[in-house]
């Protein structure tokens, strides 16, 4: 039952519409998938996404693949998947940083370990607490009328009643007006949050946050650059609207410092940026102990990456701000034969073996940059 091979591929998945962030507009999303195979031919799969190549964070798809192939795989071959904690500890000794790469490898090993035992992966993390998780949708067309129409339609479908708006690009005050018009249109039927993606300085934040707060916006995500913990602490202390830290919380060590210095009063969890499933559980524990609210973030993963994240989040206490695991809904196609399900304003936790979704090998081959890499 030991691991015999590790293969990594970069896929480019088209989206149903442009998805606009402060630093990049997504029309095609690069995701990295890993497959680990044991000596009996069983497979474990995982997915990690980045946004805009190098425009969002320090990891790029190409670097993730290269570092796994060259530096991480030798520490995985010949190991027993159920000892994924030891495997990742050994990797941490020999490979510094590379959190996205480590997350991808650990997740694939976990999927394989669970499939070898014919159990859902959440059983390896204490078992699920929730059958579904509240899920937000990002209104990112940039057109107020279209965003209002989209929000009302998803409320009618009972698909989403939490909406996020990306407001880091363009004129800040016009963006604030855009948000308040949407808030007025949906009223108390929905909860609105905004994500600045680090685009403001502290002066701009102090101009905009009071207006958003008075307008009923329920949370402000990463208004300042990730390095500016002191500025984030001042904002969190000054305003009653929750200030959420995302790009500033990229490791369990950073989350500890954010908690200690109150550099925000809530934390966005993400498997890739934190370094894996185990690390996310550790991060959530630190935040919970410090009384910080939790938010289940996304890097726009497809069904595979979303399933693995949903399963992990299902083992945690309720997240104060819900999740934004809408990724599968943004893609034109899926790389799995069964889909993650969305209903009644929730994303449903898959219950099958491993992460509960089965990879479509032909689709992986179709969208892969390098053909035949997973043969």
């Amino acid at each position: 039952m030991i691991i015999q091979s590790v293969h990594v591929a970069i896929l480019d998945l088209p989206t149903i519409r442009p998805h606009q962030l402060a630093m990049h507009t997504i029309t095609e999303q690069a995701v990295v998938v890993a497959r680990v195979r044991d000596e009996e031919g069983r497979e474990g799969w995982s997915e990690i996404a980045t946004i805009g190549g190098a425009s969002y964070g320090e990891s790029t798809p190409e670097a993730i693949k290269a570092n796994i192939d060259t530096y991480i795989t030798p520490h995985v071959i010949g190991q027993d998947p159920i000892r994924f904690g030891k495997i990742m500890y050994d990797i941490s000794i020999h490979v510094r940083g590379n959190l996205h790469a480590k997350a991808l490898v650990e997740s694939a090993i976990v999927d394989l370990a669970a499939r070898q035992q014919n159990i859902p992966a959440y059983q390896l993390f204490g078992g699920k607490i929730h059958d579904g998780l509240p899920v937000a949708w990002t209104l990112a067309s940039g057109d107020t009328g279209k965003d209002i129409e989209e929000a009302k339609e998803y409320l009618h479908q009972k698909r989403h009643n939490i909406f996020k708006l990306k407001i880091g690009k363009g004129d800040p005050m016009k963006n604030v007006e855009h948000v308040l018009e949407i808030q007025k249109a949906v009223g108390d039927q929905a909860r609105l949050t905004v994500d600045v993606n680090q685009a403001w300085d502290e002066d701009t934040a102090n101009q905009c946050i009071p207006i958003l707060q008075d307008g009923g916006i329920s949370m402000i995500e990463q208004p300042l650059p990730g390095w500016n913990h002191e500025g984030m602490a001042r904002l969190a202390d000054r305003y009653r609207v929750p200030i959420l830290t995302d790009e500033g919380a990229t490791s369990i060590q950073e989350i500890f410092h954010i908690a200690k210095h109150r550099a925000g009063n809530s934390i966005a969890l993400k498997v890739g940026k934190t370094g894996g499933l185990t690390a996310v559980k550790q991060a959530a524990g630190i935040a919970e102990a410090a009384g910080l609210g939790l938010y289940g973030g996304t890097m726009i993963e497809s069904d595979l990456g979303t399933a693995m994240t949903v399963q992990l989040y299902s083992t945690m206490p309720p997240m104060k701000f819900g999740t934004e695991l809408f990724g599968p809904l943004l893609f034109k196609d899926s790389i799995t034969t069964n889909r993650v399900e969305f209903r009644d304003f929730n994303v449903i936790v898959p219950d099958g073996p491993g992460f509960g979704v089965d990879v479509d090998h032909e689709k992986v081959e179709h969208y892969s940059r390098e053909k035949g890499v997973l043969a």
Side-chain angles (χ1 to χ4, degrees):
M1 301 240 289
I2 65 171
I3 297 170
Q4 189 176 63
S5 65
V6 179
H7 287 93
V8 179
I10 302 171
L11 316 183
D12 293 304
L13 305 178
T15 60
I16 59 173
R17 61 152 170 81
H19 188 74
Q20 182 174 291
L21 294 85
M23 76 298 293
H24 181 69
T25 298
I26 301 171
T27 56
E28 189 176 65
Q29 172 73 321
V31 303
V32 191
V33 298
R35 182 192 70 191
V36 295
R37 180 181 283 169
D38 69 14
E39 56 193 351
E40 296 181 9
R42 285 181 292 253
E43 296 179 348
W45 286 82
S46 63
E47 173 194 349
I48 290 292
T50 66
I51 292 175
S55 66
Y56 181 85
E58 294 181 357
S59 291
T60 65
E62 297 80 9
I64 292 169
K65 174 173 168 52
N67 286 322
I68 292 173
D69 289 346
T70 305
Y71 301 109
I72 295 179
T73 293
H75 301 287
V76 176
I77 301 299
Q79 301 298 318
D80 183 349
I82 200 61
R83 302 189 70 187
F84 59 90
K86 180 185 184 302
I87 296 171
M88 298 312 298
Y89 175 73
D90 291 343
I91 289 171
S92 73
I93 294 173
H94 294 94
V95 181
R96 299 291 183 185
N98 289 283
L99 297 179
H100 285 77
K102 290 175 180 176
L104 185 67
V105 169
E106 182 198 40
S107 299
I109 295 171
V110 166
D111 188 46
L112 177 58
R115 288 176 182 274
Q116 287 179 341
Q117 298 184 53
N118 198 34
I119 60 172
Y122 57 65
Q123 298 284 32
L124 300 177
F125 291 92
K128 69 175 178 176
I129 299 172
H130 318 285
D131 293 319
L133 303 169
V135 60
W137 175 254
T138 296
L139 301 169
S141 76
D143 181 279
T144 303
K146 288 181 180 178
D147 283 351
I148 291 172
E149 183 180 348
E150 188 171 67
K152 288 184 173 180
E153 176 60 26
Y154 289 153
L155 284 166
H156 175 73
Q157 294 177 13
K158 292 188 175 182
R159 204 177 87 171
H160 304 282
N161 59 2
I162 309 169
F163 297 102
K164 173 192 277 194
L165 289 115
K166 298 283 191 178
I167 61 169
K169 186 176 183 179
D171 182 86
M173 292 309 299
K174 287 184 179 179
N175 288 335
V176 168
E177 292 172 6
H178 169 70
V179 171
L180 296 183
E181 286 188 49
I182 296 171
Q183 175 67 73
K184 182 179 179 180
V186 300
D188 59 6
Q189 298 179 77
R191 178 160 58 85
L192 260 63
T193 71
V194 299
D195 186 0
V196 188
N197 286 126
Q198 312 181 78
W200 291 345
D201 58 23
E202 202 166 343
D203 288 338
T204 305
N206 283 318
Q207 291 172 354
C208 296
I209 291 176
I211 304 171
L212 292 166
Q213 178 176 270
D214 292 344
I217 302 309
S218 64
M219 181 261 282
I220 315 286
E221 181 173 348
Q222 198 65 58
L224 305 181
W227 54 263
N228 193 355
H229 288 183
E230 291 185 0
M232 291 285 284
R234 287 189 288 269
L235 297 180
D237 182 62
R238 184 173 297 138
Y239 301 108
R240 68 179 185 274
V241 62
I243 306 296
L244 181 137
T245 302
D246 178 12
E247 290 93 335
T250 58
S251 68
I252 58 174
Q253 291 80 13
E254 280 192 332
I255 290 169
F256 170 78
H257 286 290
I258 289 164
K260 181 178 180 180
H261 300 290
R262 312 308 288 183
N265 41 36
S266 48
I267 297 289
L269 300 175
K270 293 177 181 176
V271 174
K273 72 173 184 177
T274 313
L277 303 171
T278 303
V280 170
K281 288 278 281 192
Q282 293 170 335
I286 294 169
E288 185 181 6
L292 301 179
L294 294 178
Y295 183 57
T298 184
M299 289 293 285
I300 320 295
E301 297 89 357
S302 73
D303 285 279
L304 174 58
T306 299
M308 76 187 209
T309 306
V310 170
Q311 281 218 4
L312 182 71
Y313 290 170
S314 77
T315 70
M316 300 179 184
M319 294 189 178
K320 183 175 182 179
F321 298 102
T323 76
E324 57 176 9
L325 301 176
F326 62 83
L329 301 170
L330 193 61
F331 293 107
K332 292 181 178 180
D333 200 359
S334 177
I335 60 169
T336 60
T337 58
N338 55 323
R339 306 294 305 271
V340 172
E341 186 180 355
F342 296 83
R343 67 169 185 270
D344 297 326
F345 306 121
N346 279 252
V347 55
I348 307 305
V349 181
D351 284 322
F355 295 129
V357 292
D358 296 316
V359 168
D360 185 326
H361 292 69
E362 291 184 2
K363 290 289 183 65
V364 170
E365 176 73 12
H366 175 73
Y367 290 111
S368 178
R369 294 182 184 178
E370 186 179 350
K371 303 308 179 184
V373 69
L374 296 176

